[in-house]
């Protein structure tokens, strides 16, 4: 079946550090890939998405590239801020159904 | 601005009570979803609906039911609440059930505690 595996947290970084959160997936067909972010006390919101191989999604300085050959969609940001502290979820959508990873909690210290 | 609202942010109920969680979306979306979120388990799909009066079981439907009488409203019902249903419940909606590229829009969540 379809599944998403993302790196376990928590991840703690200093402000302006480089961020990578790894995400790999298993899917049949041609899934779309998403990163959602959940700020403290809030629901999930879409951070970025990519709908086909080699697409790059980007938003708010975050980027992720849909790599079919390695079945990966790693999230990166060059310089994190305290306001980026949140839980990040990688997800895929195939045949209409959204499948989530377990989430990675990021804390950015000033 | 798209909006999914949930009736309560926090709810405390007793074991055996019947619990209703309400979700409303204002985007005229066809599809609505209920998830529960638990630490270390991520989000798991309970039920979804792709049209009024239609419903489909998700991955963990046991102990839950749903109702969709109007397009904009999707209710999750716990017929007899139990302590293992203490969780964060998230509602979501999307435009099309089967277009993989469509994102889901989430509500703020209801944190339910069953004593």
């Amino acid at each position: 079946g379809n599944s998403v595996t993302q790196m376990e947290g928590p991840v703690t970084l200093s402000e302006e550090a480089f961020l990578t959160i790894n995400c790999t997936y298993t899917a049949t067909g041609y899934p779309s890939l998403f990163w959602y972010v959940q700020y403290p006390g809030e629901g999930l919101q879409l951070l970025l998405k990519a709908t086909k191989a080699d697409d790059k999604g980007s938003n708010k300085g975050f980027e992720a590239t849909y790599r079919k050959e390695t079945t990966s969609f790693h999230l990166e940001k060059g310089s994190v801020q305290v306001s980026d502290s949140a839980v990040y979820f990688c997800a895929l959508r195939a045949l209409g159904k959204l499948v989530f990873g377990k989430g990675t909690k990021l804390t950015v210290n000033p | 601005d798209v909006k999914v609202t949930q009736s309560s942010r926090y709810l405390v109920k007793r074991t055996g009570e019947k619990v209703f969680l309400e979700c409303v979306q204002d985007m005229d979306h066809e599809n609505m979803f209920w998830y529960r979120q638990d630490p270390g388990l991520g989000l798991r799909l309970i039920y979804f609906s792709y049209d009024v009066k239609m419903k489909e079981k998700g991955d963990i439907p046991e102990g839950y039911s749903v109702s969709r009488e109007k397009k904009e409203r999707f209710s999750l019902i716990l017929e007899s609440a139990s302590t293992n249903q203490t969780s964060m419940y998230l509602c979501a909606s999307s435009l099309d059930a089967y277009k993989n590229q469509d994102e889901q829009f989430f509500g703020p969540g209801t944190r339910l505690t069953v004593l």
Side-chain angles (χ1 to χ4, degrees):
Chain A
N2 298 331
S3 66
V4 174
T5 303
Q6 64 181 100
M7 67 185 269
E8 306 230 347
V11 174
T12 303
L13 296 174
S14 297
E15 209 165 20
E16 298 184 4
F18 185 85
L19 169 71
T20 300
I21 301 178
N22 289 337
C23 172
T24 57
Y25 67 90
T26 303
T28 52
Y30 303 96
S32 292
L33 301 175
F34 303 84
W35 277 101
Y36 281 85
V37 59
Q38 185 178 34
Y39 297 104
E42 298 183 14
L44 276 69
Q45 53 185 273
L46 180 69
L47 181 59
L48 53 85
K49 70 177 184 182
T51 58
K52 61 183 188 298
D54 299 325
D55 268 2
K56 179 187 278 189
S58 61
N59 186 24
K60 299 182 182 180
F62 291 89
E63 293 183 340
T65 301
Y66 187 164
R67 302 273 187 214
K68 194 170 181 191
E69 64 276 11
T70 54
T71 61
S72 66
F73 193 55
H74 304 321
L75 183 68
E76 296 182 337
K77 186 174 186 183
S79 176
V80 293
Q81 306 300 313
V82 172
S83 56
D84 293 326
S85 297
V87 181
Y88 293 82
F89 292 91
C90 185
L92 70 83
R93 193 167 185 199
L95 300 176
K97 193 174 176 184
L98 197 58
V99 175
F100 288 89
K102 293 184 178 180
T104 302
K105 183 175 182 179
L106 170 67
T107 301
V108 180
N109 294 320
Chain B
D1 223 9
V2 296
K3 203 135 182 154
V4 179
T5 56
Q6 295 182 229
S7 51
S8 305
R9 293 298 301 270
Y10 300 94
L11 211 51
V12 179
K13 296 292 181 180
R14 297 213 174 270
T15 301
E17 279 193 78
K18 190 168 186 176
V19 181
F20 292 86
L21 302 182
E22 305 284 343
C23 175
V24 177
Q25 51 95 2
D26 66 359
M27 296 165 281
D28 202 33
H29 282 171
E30 299 290 331
N31 313 290
M32 298 187 74
F33 308 82
W34 275 106
Y35 297 88
R36 64 177 283 176
Q37 181 182 10
D38 300 289
L41 297 176
L43 275 77
R44 294 178 291 167
L45 181 64
I46 305 171
Y47 267 98
F48 67 99
S49 168
Y50 52 87
D51 201 353
V52 175
K53 296 193 186 294
M54 306 300 286
K55 60 184 179 184
E56 292 279 347
K57 291 180 180 179
D59 300 316
I60 51 162
E62 296 78 19
Y64 303 95
S65 62
V66 290
S67 172
R68 190 155 180 216
E69 296 296 318
K70 294 185 178 180
K71 190 176 185 179
E72 67 270 19
R73 188 178 298 269
F74 192 35
S75 302
L76 180 69
I77 303 155
L78 287 66
E79 295 290 341
S80 177
S82 63
T83 54
N84 63 12
Q85 292 178 310
T86 291
S87 186
M88 170 72 89
Y89 290 88
L90 292 167
C91 176
S93 71
S94 72
L95 183 60
D96 191 293
Y98 299 105
K99 279 188 184 171
N100 288 341
Q101 61 267 40
D102 278 0
E103 68 174 283
Q104 290 186 11
F105 294 86
F106 284 81
T110 295
R111 184 164 294 283
L112 173 67
T113 302
V114 182
L115 301 175

